[in-house]
Amino acid sequence: MIDLRSDTVTRPTSAMRRAMAEAEVGDDVFGEDPTVRALEEETASLLGKEAALYVTSGHMANQLGLYVSVRSGDEVWAHEHHHLIGDEQGATAVLARALPRLYSEGTVPSDELLESWIAGRGDVHRAEPALVWLENTFTGRVVPLAEQRRVTGFAHRHGLRTHLDGARLWNAAAALEVSPAEVAEGFDSVSVCFSKGLGAPVGSALAGDAATIARARRARKLLGAGMRQAGIIAAGALYALRHHRERMAQDHARAALLAERIARVPGLGARAQTNMVLVDTPRGRAAAYREAFARHGVRALDIGAETIRLVVHLEITDRDVDEAATAIAKAAAEL
């Protein structure tokens, strides 16, 4: 079975396991785990931020970024398909008690939309805007840095904070051939994931200025997520950060090849950017095609009635891509 459901399905490499087994550890709640501290310092440096906080998941990193940026009842501006909105169990309302205000077109809000939303600021009838949220990559798509800067510039001119959900920021940086810091530029807080494209077994980080991360550290403890000898898992993330970023272009190239092969299959369309392939199926047939793919040895996710997601990761080889494309063609011929 070729598992293309997500880049979270990877297993630690032998070298990563050795790094974890040999990690120097301490009590992280007391700030005494040297491996966690090294990971946080290196992550912050790569992102051009003052500080970073290691957490167990991207969900937690996002929610901490939100929690420290808004007051109860404030607005957060986001896309209706951002992970914050559709994949975090309504935690936006439960934890930070923020009110999402959503747009649906494009990958970032237009100038016209931003101007119309800020125009209502101060109206006693509505929530006060506090935070603008972006995501890069966004369902595998790279958001142009000029567009990010346009939105963050608007936010800061109007006194709003900004957050980047950069779960796959490393992929965005590789695709754009820029440093991670350039992708993170202009954001008050940034979340990044180590267990997606980088292939670590556990963890994400929230990065920002020292004051923001100090508040986030307290909030992490409030949520019961203080960790003790966390260096064992942080070592896997640190190894991935140091050794797996440079190979991401291979995933992107394999995803592009897979999309090209699938696009030749009658009845299917496919497009790829970074390590994610989105497959267009006939209307309402995504689940049926996903099940057929599985019968032929390819695991995938349907992310809508007409769309299937395939994610290339560090365990996928050129041979896997060839075999997956062949299997998908055979599966489609049966439907």
Side-chain angles (χ1 to χ4, degrees), residues 25-300:
V25 300
D27 191 319
D28 180 54
V29 172
F30 293 128
E32 296 173 355
D33 191 301
T35 307
V36 172
R37 289 169 60 182
L39 174 63
E40 291 173 342
E41 290 167 5
E42 197 157 319
T43 300
S45 177
L46 283 169
L47 296 174
K49 305 300 181 186
E50 289 182 348
L53 176 68
Y54 183 49
V55 299
T56 54
S57 70
H59 180 155
M60 179 172 287
N62 275 344
Q63 289 300 322
L64 289 175
L66 177 65
Y67 187 89
V68 300
S69 297
V70 302
R71 298 172 303 174
S72 177
D74 281 346
E75 278 184 351
V76 52
W77 297 352
H79 193 284
E80 63 177 344
H81 294 311
H82 279 164
H83 195 277
L84 175 79
I85 303 303
D87 296 282
E88 297 184 10
Q89 293 191 12
T92 299
V94 175
L95 301 177
R97 295 184 293 178
L99 176 67
R101 189 164 195 177
L102 307 179
Y103 60 97
S104 58
E105 299 299 323
T107 57
V108 299
S110 66
D111 284 338
E112 292 77 14
L113 183 64
L114 290 169
E115 292 289 354
S116 68
W117 281 2
I118 202 69
R121 190 179 198 177
D123 186 333
V124 71
H125 299 94
R126 58 165 286 186
E128 279 292 285
L131 178 65
V132 179
W133 195 277
L134 295 182
E135 192 170 311
N136 200 0
T137 63
F138 185 16
T139 319
R141 293 169 290 175
V142 175
V143 179
L145 300 189
E147 285 293 276
Q148 286 191 167
R149 294 187 190 108
R150 175 177 62 79
V151 174
T152 58
F154 175 93
H156 293 149
R157 286 195 301 274
H158 291 276
L160 307 179
R161 287 179 63 84
T162 55
H163 176 88
L164 178 65
D165 179 348
R168 294 184 174 89
L169 177 149
W170 317 112
N171 293 93
L176 291 168
E177 297 183 333
V178 300
S179 69
E182 289 176 82
V183 183
E185 183 182 353
F187 291 93
D188 297 299
S189 59
V190 181
S191 62
V192 291
C193 190
F194 305 117
S195 63
K196 291 189 171 73
L198 291 180
V202 182
S204 291
L206 179 71
D209 61 54
T212 293
I213 299 308
R215 294 197 302 274
R217 192 174 296 277
R218 285 187 58 83
R220 186 187 69 172
K221 192 71 168 67
L222 175 68
L223 296 177
M227 296 183 285
R228 300 299 179 179
Q229 288 71 39
I232 292 174
I233 53 174
L238 187 58
Y239 182 91
L241 194 63
R242 291 174 174 174
H243 298 280
H244 290 174
R245 286 191 301 119
E246 299 303 322
R247 57 155 309 282
M248 282 187 160
Q250 298 174 27
D251 293 342
H252 298 177
R254 287 173 177 141
L257 178 59
L258 181 58
E260 181 183 331
R261 291 277 302 274
I262 294 172
R264 301 176 196 163
V265 177
L268 297 180
R271 57 201 187 279
Q273 194 175 17
T274 66
N275 66 328
M276 204 171 289
V277 179
L278 299 182
V279 180
D280 300 316
T281 72
R283 188 171 183 178
R285 299 281 285 160
Y289 274 83
R290 185 252 305 153
E291 291 168 0
F293 292 178
R295 289 195 295 273
H296 284 265
V298 178
R299 302 186 78 179

